[in-house]
Amino acid sequence: MKALSIKDIAVKANVSITTVSFIINGKAKEKSISEAVIEKVEKIIQESGYKPNQIARSLRTGNSNIIGLIVEDISNSFFAKIARLIEDKAYKRGYKIIYSSTENSVEKAQELINMFKTRKVDAYIISPIKGIEEDIRMLLSDDKPVILFDRNLADVDVNYVGANHFNASYQSIESFVAQGKKNIALVTTDIDVEQITERFDGYKKALLDNGLAYNDELVLKIHFNQDEETTINQIKNLFNTQKIDAVLFATNYLAISGLKVLKQIKKKIGSEFSVIAYDDHEAFELHTPGISTVQQPLEDIAETVIKLLLNQLSSKTKIPNQQVIIPATLIIRD
Amino acid sequence: MKALSIKDIAVKANVSITTVSFIINGKAKEKSISEAVIEKVEKIIQESGYKPNQIARSLRTGNSNIIGLIVEDISNSFFAKIARLIEDKAYKRGYKIIYSSTENSVEKAQELINMFKTRKVDAYIISPIKGIEEDIRMLLSDDKPVILFDRNLADVDVNYVGANHFNASYQSIESFVAQGKKNIALVTTDIDVEQITERFDGYKKALLDNGLAYNDELVLKIHFNQDEETTINQIKNLFNTQKIDAVLFATNYLAISGLKVLKQIKKKIGSEFSVIAYDDHEAFELHTPGISTVQQPLEDIAETVIKLLLNQLSSKTKIPNQQVIIPATLIIRD
DNA sequence: TTGATGTAGTAAAACGTTTTACCATAACCA
DNA sequence: TGGTTATGGTAAAACGTTTTACTACATCAA
């Protein structure tokens, strides 16, 4: 049972393909097709269940109503949640999402961008990594809307939506200081993206502003993509060798590893030892005691991303790129 | 800067489009194109960075190298993890994934299937809901490979990959019984899919086989899609009004809500009160005490799904549908 | 010498749309 | 009357591939 084509409809209705096409695309009025024909054709379409072949449509029009979404890892709850929100909002506006995970690999990211390009996606939403600046510039020079989110790339002029990582990190440290903490550690990753360096900068600045010395030994940079066991050992080592009374984890998965360590070495979180995690996670609310977190406004981010995208898609002229920084909030739990 | 087309390459190389096409598709040898021409063309392709337009290719060949993945909710960690694994494996074989969430809505599911159909996806991976049997039959009659996973549909003859929900549930209850529990509750949902009813059946059978009465009051069926606050209140009500010494949660998000309740009403998990959750979650390992869970073998499920799919895709003839049931394992934590 | 076979390659149709340019006929105006 | 405008519609090109059927020439076997 082959799928119906516009031709089948045209034959059945005894009109030309052109006429059917006009009707499908709501141009019947403006092309002066009579009421009678419109009705007849629409009835036939209804009854036969005909659906236009989007591939053919894409080939002809050059766009696909598909938005490509590239994230680091869709199984990370932060990305999964954002993806879901974006998908939802896009869907309501008639766009579909194709997504893929880069696993922090430059080559994979480049392949993905190429793949999307050959599929003629209409726009790109990317949580980028360093090393794909050139590829992104190419997209921009093709006049395709591109929105970066979560992470920015310093030397590309492009739309960006993200949280205020510096501030969030700064505030987290200040809240530690307010509790009288003196030896505050940071567990972060060595991914070279602004988002991560901002978190580091916020940490450092807050220490210095509050008269605490910055101590390299208290900062652990975990290699991205390494297996969790190694991570756990490194964190364990940090906790065992350094005198620490508070720790900020720069991502939620690092915090989860960290909490596993605490469980293993039976160190309790409490007045002696405080923890804040960046990016919330179900586990943090459930944990006893609750883990304080920096919550990124997922809903706001998704909404802003989509809004920026649709603006670009619907405007003929080039809209200047925007950088939208959304405040994150520190949720104190115990 | 318009994208290059096969024609541009042909002109540059001074050969016909046909020749370029043969070379691109590795048919040069069999079509007896000379070594010299092959090299020349390949060099030009390399240098120019030409990539074939997949849309045009799809239109001509009728397939897209895209697999449609339909799940209930991509932001649920079970689906997010499976999606990532499937994506990975598919990618290695040259397939891309388009995914979408149904939110347990029949209409949305049907729309999605239609959307995928008009995009000519090559195959479908679906975690289905009741009510789309007919749509799935249509896909099958179009000779498109379809794999259901996680949930089966009773009256459709189709490939299925899932865990042994009955056994897992049965074993969970037996483990409660072995600890001397007498009043064992079940918190489940009212989604009408085999996977959920099997979990219920396992619960009931295990009780009866072990000489415990089945008590309707100890089974709470949460309406799917309702907001978490209502769920929490219903669970709270169950815990407050019934004498319970153990509870099995039929999904991980129900368990998370349940744990929130326990935290609120300050009920401790321990020898007096045991919990098992269906589908693991980071929060369960981290929880103090650790929450025992039924762990579905995500890796196995993803691998089996892809294997089944590729078998079908690569075989000319119709392969009989298979039902693959993979054992789940009970992880005891404390 | 003829017919078959192999080698190297190409022209053109087809996939299913959208869109441009066009054709009739009718109606209107002065 | 003739010219313009409105109405209702269509033919055919174009999007970028793949693939079928073909050509032209060379070589070989008998």
Side-chain angles (χ1 to χ4, degrees):
Chain A
M1 196 181 62
K2 284 234 58 66
L4 292 169
S5 81
I6 195 172
K7 194 173 169 187
D8 299 316
I9 304 299
V11 168
K12 240 181 256 186
N14 226 331
V15 297
S16 74
I17 290 182
T18 310
T19 303
V20 178
S21 175
F22 285 154
I23 294 173
I24 291 172
N25 294 290
K27 299 192 180 161
K29 285 270 145 51
E30 119 201 23
K31 297 291 183 179
S32 64
I33 305 293
S34 70
E35 239 354 286
V37 171
I38 296 182
E39 264 173 38
K40 178 171 64 173
V41 171
E42 276 177 345
K43 181 140 170 283
I44 293 178
I45 291 180
Q46 272 301 319
E47 283 168 358
S48 63
Y50 163 71
K51 295 271 186 299
N53 179 327
Q54 298 295 335
I55 299 279
R57 195 174 254 185
S58 288
L59 179 59
R60 171 63 224 219
T61 62
N63 45 45
S64 59
N65 279 332
I66 291 187
I67 295 171
L69 173 62
I70 298 182
V71 297
E72 175 190 333
D73 174 8
I74 192 68
S75 71
N76 174 314
S77 85
F78 172 74
F79 289 118
K81 292 214 165 97
I82 283 272
R84 167 66 194 280
L85 288 167
I86 289 180
E87 187 203 335
D88 251 35
K89 293 172 194 297
Y91 188 84
K92 293 209 178 84
R93 275 92 157 187
Y95 284 92
K96 295 250 33 71
I97 302 281
I98 311 193
Y99 80 102
S100 266
S101 310
T102 64
E103 305 165 54
N104 270 322
S105 143
V106 172
E107 298 86 66
K108 180 130 192 246
Q110 288 172 329
E111 268 184 66
L112 288 177
I113 289 180
N114 256 321
M115 177 81 70
F116 285 173
K117 227 195 291 194
T118 63
R119 306 252 183 232
K120 305 290 167 191
V121 305
D122 291 352
Y124 299 77
I125 303 175
I126 305 179
S127 164
I129 52 178
K130 200 143 187 160
I132 60 169
E133 291 83 354
E134 205 39 56
D135 305 80
I136 291 187
R137 276 196 210 97
M138 297 258 293
L139 297 180
L140 291 169
S141 78
D142 279 359
D143 271 333
K144 291 292 176 201
V146 176
I147 318 276
L148 306 188
F149 79 101
D150 187 46
R151 310 158 172 199
N152 205 354
L153 286 176
D155 41 353
V156 188
D157 175 29
V158 58
N159 291 289
Y160 166 71
V161 180
N164 193 327
H165 301 294
F166 177 89
N167 266 6
S169 177
Y170 191 97
Q171 281 171 27
S172 305
I173 303 307
E174 286 218 307
S175 100
F176 283 149
V177 172
Q179 294 167 50
K181 306 296 177 189
K182 302 267 181 247
N183 303 293
I184 303 172
L186 171 69
V187 177
T188 182
T189 101
D190 65 351
I191 310 184
D192 188 11
V193 290
E194 280 199 5
Q195 154 227 30
I196 294 295
T197 53
E198 279 175 20
R199 292 178 196 183
F200 173 77
D201 292 344
Y203 163 82
K204 194 164 177 179
K205 183 95 183 340
L207 287 182
L208 299 177
D209 285 0
N210 286 280
L212 294 172
Y214 167 75
N215 176 358
D216 231 10
E217 308 253 288
L218 294 184
V219 175
L220 175 58
K221 295 198 178 180
I222 301 287
H223 186 53
F224 70 89
N225 270 0
Q226 82 183 14
D227 62 79
E228 200 188 0
E229 203 175 317
T230 318
T231 304
I232 285 184
N233 285 332
Q234 290 177 334
I235 297 177
K236 199 182 289 178
N237 184 52
L238 172 73
F239 288 173
N240 281 333
T241 60
Q242 301 292 327
K243 196 172 135 247
I244 294 174
D245 52 14
V247 54
L248 171 65
F249 291 97
T251 78
N252 56 12
Y253 60 88
L254 289 175
I256 286 176
S257 300
L259 293 176
K260 287 183 186 166
V261 169
L262 293 177
K263 198 170 177 184
Q264 279 178 27
I265 65 178
K266 301 204 190 324
K267 190 168 191 126
K268 292 265 175 267
I269 294 174
S271 54
E272 316 288 84
F273 189 82
S274 298
V275 166
I276 295 180
Y278 208 108
D279 288 345
D280 207 355
H281 190 280
E282 279 105 344
F284 301 154
E285 184 179 353
L286 234 44
H287 196 274
T288 311
I291 304 297
S292 301
T293 72
V294 173
Q295 224 172 43
Q296 293 198 54
L298 302 180
E299 180 73 37
D300 285 0
I301 293 178
E303 185 63 38
T304 311
V305 165
I306 285 293
K307 208 174 289 167
L308 247 46
L309 211 54
L310 294 174
N311 273 351
Q312 298 237 330
L313 281 172
S314 60
S315 123
K316 306 283 133 224
T317 66
K318 178 99 185 110
I319 297 182
N321 289 320
Q322 291 184 50
Q323 318 272 119
V324 182
I325 309 291
I326 300 178
T329 40
L330 179 59
I331 307 283
I332 299 291
R333 297 200 179 101
D334 49 33
Chain B
M1 196 183 58
K2 283 234 60 64
L4 291 170
S5 80
I6 195 170
K7 193 173 170 188
D8 299 315
I9 304 299
V11 168
K12 240 180 255 186
N14 226 332
V15 297
S16 74
I17 290 182
T18 311
T19 303
V20 178
S21 175
F22 285 154
I23 294 174
I24 290 172
N25 293 289
K27 299 192 180 161
K29 285 270 145 51
E30 117 202 24
K31 297 291 182 179
S32 63
I33 306 294
S34 71
E35 236 359 282
V37 171
I38 296 182
E39 264 173 37
K40 178 172 62 175
V41 171
E42 276 176 346
K43 181 140 170 283
I44 292 178
I45 291 179
Q46 271 300 321
E47 283 168 358
S48 63
Y50 163 72
K51 295 272 186 301
N53 179 328
Q54 298 295 335
I55 299 280
R57 195 174 253 185
S58 289
L59 179 60
R60 172 63 225 220
T61 63
N63 44 45
S64 58
N65 279 332
I66 292 189
I67 295 171
L69 173 62
I70 299 183
V71 298
E72 175 190 331
D73 174 8
I74 192 68
S75 70
N76 174 314
S77 85
F78 172 75
F79 290 118
K81 292 214 166 97
I82 283 273
R84 168 67 194 280
L85 288 167
I86 288 179
E87 187 203 335
D88 251 34
K89 293 173 194 298
Y91 189 84
K92 292 211 179 83
R93 275 92 157 187
Y95 285 93
K96 295 250 34 72
I97 302 281
I98 312 192
Y99 81 102
S100 267
S101 310
T102 64
E103 304 165 55
N104 271 321
S105 142
V106 172
E107 298 85 66
K108 179 130 191 246
Q110 288 171 329
E111 266 184 68
L112 289 177
I113 289 180
N114 256 322
M115 178 81 70
F116 284 173
K117 227 195 291 193
T118 64
R119 306 254 182 228
K120 305 289 167 193
V121 305
D122 291 353
Y124 298 78
I125 303 175
I126 305 179
S127 165
I129 51 176
K130 201 141 186 163
I132 60 168
E133 290 84 353
E134 204 40 55
D135 305 80
I136 291 189
R137 277 197 209 97
M138 298 257 295
L139 296 181
L140 291 170
S141 78
D142 279 358
D143 272 333
K144 291 292 175 201
V146 176
I147 317 274
L148 305 188
F149 78 101
D150 188 44
R151 311 159 171 198
N152 205 353
L153 286 177
D155 41 353
V156 187
D157 176 29
V158 58
N159 291 288
Y160 166 71
V161 180
N164 193 327
H165 301 294
F166 177 90
N167 266 7
S169 177
Y170 191 98
Q171 281 170 28
S172 306
I173 302 306
E174 287 218 307
S175 100
F176 282 150
V177 173
Q179 293 168 52
K181 307 296 179 189
K182 303 267 181 247
N183 303 293
I184 304 171
L186 172 69
V187 177
T188 181
T189 102
D190 65 353
I191 311 184
D192 188 10
V193 290
E194 282 198 4
Q195 155 228 29
I196 293 295
T197 54
E198 278 175 21
R199 293 178 196 184
F200 173 77
D201 293 344
Y203 163 80
K204 194 165 179 179
K205 184 96 185 340
L207 286 182
L208 300 178
D209 285 0
N210 286 280
L212 293 173
Y214 167 75
N215 176 357
D216 231 12
E217 308 252 287
L218 294 184
V219 175
L220 176 59
K221 295 198 177 180
I222 300 287
H223 185 52
F224 70 88
N225 269 1
Q226 82 183 12
D227 62 79
E228 200 188 1
E229 204 175 317
T230 318
T231 303
I232 285 184
N233 285 332
Q234 290 177 333
I235 297 177
K236 199 181 290 178
N237 184 51
L238 173 73
F239 288 173
N240 282 334
T241 58
Q242 301 293 325
K243 199 172 134 244
I244 294 173
D245 53 14
V247 53
L248 172 65
F249 292 97
T251 78
N252 56 12
Y253 58 87
L254 289 176
I256 286 176
S257 299
L259 293 176
K260 287 183 186 166
V261 169
L262 293 177
K263 197 168 177 184
Q264 280 179 26
I265 65 177
K266 301 202 189 332
K267 191 167 189 127
K268 291 266 176 265
I269 294 174
S271 53
E272 317 288 85
F273 189 81
S274 298
V275 166
I276 296 180
Y278 209 109
D279 289 347
D280 207 356
H281 189 279
E282 279 105 345
F284 302 153
E285 185 179 352
L286 234 44
H287 196 273
T288 310
I291 304 297
S292 302
T293 71
V294 174
Q295 223 172 44
Q296 293 197 55
L298 302 181
E299 181 73 37
D300 286 0
I301 293 178
E303 185 63 39
T304 312
V305 165
I306 286 293
K307 210 175 289 167
L308 249 46
L309 210 56
L310 293 174
N311 273 350
Q312 299 236 332
L313 282 171
S314 60
S315 123
K316 305 283 134 226
T317 67
K318 177 99 185 113
I319 297 183
N321 288 321
Q322 291 184 50
Q323 318 272 118
V324 181
I325 308 293
I326 299 179
T329 40
L330 180 60
I331 307 284
I332 299 291
R333 296 202 178 100
D334 50 33

